[in-house]
C-alpha cells in the first residue's frame, strides 16, 4: 500500500535556528507533494505545493525564503523552517499523491521552538 | 480566500446511533470535497470524497453535497467506538487538489 513517512516525528529547536524535515513516499510515485502546517488551535494551512516538473507554488503568508522545499525525485521531499520562532511551532504535515489520486499523508513532524 | 467551517467542534454520540458532521465553504467555485479522518497520533486519511451534487454512500458512511447552499456533510449510521476520531473536511477549487481544511470535529462514540 501507499505510505508516507515523515521524520523526525518530533523536534525542538532554539529560537532563531533552522530545522529540516523530510517526507518519504513508499509504494508509489509522489508526483505532487503538499506541505501543511497545523498551528495550535488552528486548522491545517497549506504552505506550498510541489509538483514534479513545475515550480513550487507557495501560498500567501508562506515564502521560499522562509520554508525552502526540495523535491528531487518521485519518492522524497524535504522542507526547512529557517530562523524558526515561536509562531512557527506546530505540526507539519506532508501529503503526497500520484497524479490525480487522493493524497496520502504522513504522521507529521511536530516542531517545538524554545 | 476560501473559508471552510466545520460544526460542531466536538460531539459525543452513543454507540449504534447516527452521527452527522457538517462543513460549509465560502467559494461557490469549489469543485472537490473530501472528508478525512484522523485517529489520535496518526495521519489524516481520506474517508470519502464527492465531486457533484447529491449523495454518495459507502458502507455505514454517507456524504451529501449541496453546492447551492455551500454545504456538505458526513453521516455515519450505527456509529462504533472505532469511529472515534478527529474528522476534517477539505475543499479544493481546482484539479490541482490544493486542499483548504476545516478545523475539525472531534467525535467520541460512547459504548
Amino acid at each position: 500500500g501507499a505510505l508516507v513517512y515523515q521524520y523526525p516525528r518530533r523536534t525542538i529547536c532554539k529560537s532563531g535556528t533552522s530545522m529540516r524535515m523530510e517526507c518519504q513516499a513508499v509504494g508509489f510515485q509522489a508526483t505532487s507533494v503538499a506541505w501543511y502546517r497545523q498551528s495550535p488551535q488552528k486548522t491545517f494551512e497549506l504552505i506550498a505545493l510541489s509538483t514534479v516538473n513545475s515550480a513550487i507554488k507557495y501560498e500567501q503568508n508562506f515564502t521560499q525564503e522562509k520554508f525552502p522545499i526540495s523535491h528531487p525525485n518521485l519518492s522524497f521531499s524535504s522542507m526547512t523552517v529557517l530562523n524558526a520562532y515561536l509562531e512557527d511551532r506546530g505540526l507539519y504535515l506532508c501529503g503526497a499523491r500520484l497524479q490525480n489520486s487522493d493524497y496520502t499523508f504522513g504522521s507529521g513532524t511536530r516542531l517545538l521552538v524554545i | 480566500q476560501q473559508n471552510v467551517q466545520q460544526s460542531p467542534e466536538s460531539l459525543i454520540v452513543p454507540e449504534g446511533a447516527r452521527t452527522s458532521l457538517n462543513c460549509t465553504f465560502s467559494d461557490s467555485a469549489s469543485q472537490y470535497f473530501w472528508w478525512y479522518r484522523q485517529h489520535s497520533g496518526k495521519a489524516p486519511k481520506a474517508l470519502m470524497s464527492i465531486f457533484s451534487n447529491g449523495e454518495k454512500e459507502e458502507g455505514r458512511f454517507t456524504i451529501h453535497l449541496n453546492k447551492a447552499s455551500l454545504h456538505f456533510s458526513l453521516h455515519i449510521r450505527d456509529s462504533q467506538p472505532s469511529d472515534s476520531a478527529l474528522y476534517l473536511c477539505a475543499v479544493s477549487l481546482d484539479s490541482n487538489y490544493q486542499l483548504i481544511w476545516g478545523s475539525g470535529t472531534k467525535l467520541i462514540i460512547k459504548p
Side-chain angles (χ1 to χ4, degrees):
Chain A
L3 293 170
V4 171
Y5 293 105
Q6 285 188 252
Y7 36 90
R9 295 202 65 172
R10 181 185 293 263
T11 187
I12 302 173
C13 69
K14 284 188 175 180
S15 182
T17 64
S18 300
M19 186 273 153
R20 180 171 178 261
M21 54 191 75
E22 300 181 345
C23 177
Q24 181 89 35
V26 177
F28 69 105
Q29 293 183 321
T31 53
S32 294
V33 175
W35 286 92
Y36 296 84
R37 179 174 71 187
Q38 184 185 41
S39 302
Q41 311 305 322
K42 288 186 179 179
T43 185
F44 287 104
E45 296 176 278
L46 177 64
I47 296 171
L49 178 66
S50 172
T51 303
V52 170
N53 298 325
S54 296
I56 297 173
K57 185 180 174 187
Y58 285 84
E59 289 296 291
Q60 197 174 10
N61 300 326
F62 296 98
T63 65
Q64 183 181 6
E65 289 71 32
K66 173 71 175 177
F67 299 97
I69 289 170
S70 171
H71 188 180
N73 56 54
L74 292 174
S75 63
F76 181 82
S77 177
S78 67
M79 184 176 75
T80 301
V81 181
L82 294 175
N83 298 317
Y85 287 99
L86 195 62
E87 59 265 25
D88 295 319
R89 73 190 194 280
L91 179 68
Y92 287 81
L93 203 65
C94 158
R97 69 176 179 129
L98 171 63
Q99 294 181 332
N100 295 328
S101 64
D102 283 340
Y103 278 105
T104 299
F105 290 92
S107 297
T109 293
R110 187 163 296 280
L111 173 64
L112 298 173
V113 181
I114 57 174
Chain B
Q1 181 85 0
Q2 174 85 271
N3 183 27
V4 178
Q5 299 284 335
Q6 283 188 245
S7 63
E9 275 190 25
S10 61
L11 188 60
I12 300 175
V13 174
E15 183 176 357
R18 175 181 164 93
T19 297
S20 293
L21 309 175
N22 299 294
C23 188
T24 60
F25 53 98
S26 59
D27 194 329
S28 59
S30 300
Q31 296 189 44
Y32 304 93
F33 307 87
W34 287 266
W35 282 99
Y36 281 78
R37 181 167 68 181
Q38 183 182 17
H39 285 109
S40 183
K42 301 282 179 68
K45 287 193 175 177
L47 194 58
M48 287 186 74
S49 59
I50 192 166
F51 301 151
S52 57
N53 270 339
E55 276 193 3
K56 182 177 169 184
E57 182 178 335
E58 290 180 5
R60 296 184 294 111
F61 297 88
T62 302
I63 190 171
H64 180 86
L65 170 64
N66 185 331
K67 284 191 182 182
S69 60
L70 304 176
H71 176 264
F72 67 112
S73 55
L74 178 71
H75 307 277
I76 309 172
R77 60 177 171 83
D78 188 23
S79 301
Q80 300 297 308
S82 57
D83 295 328
S84 299
L86 178 70
Y87 286 78
L88 296 155
C89 66
V91 176
S92 177
L93 282 173
D94 55 34
S95 60
N96 222 355
Y97 283 45
Q98 291 178 264
L99 303 176
I100 308 298
W101 299 83
S103 56
T105 293
K106 186 173 180 182
L107 175 64
I108 297 173
I109 305 299
K110 280 205 156 184

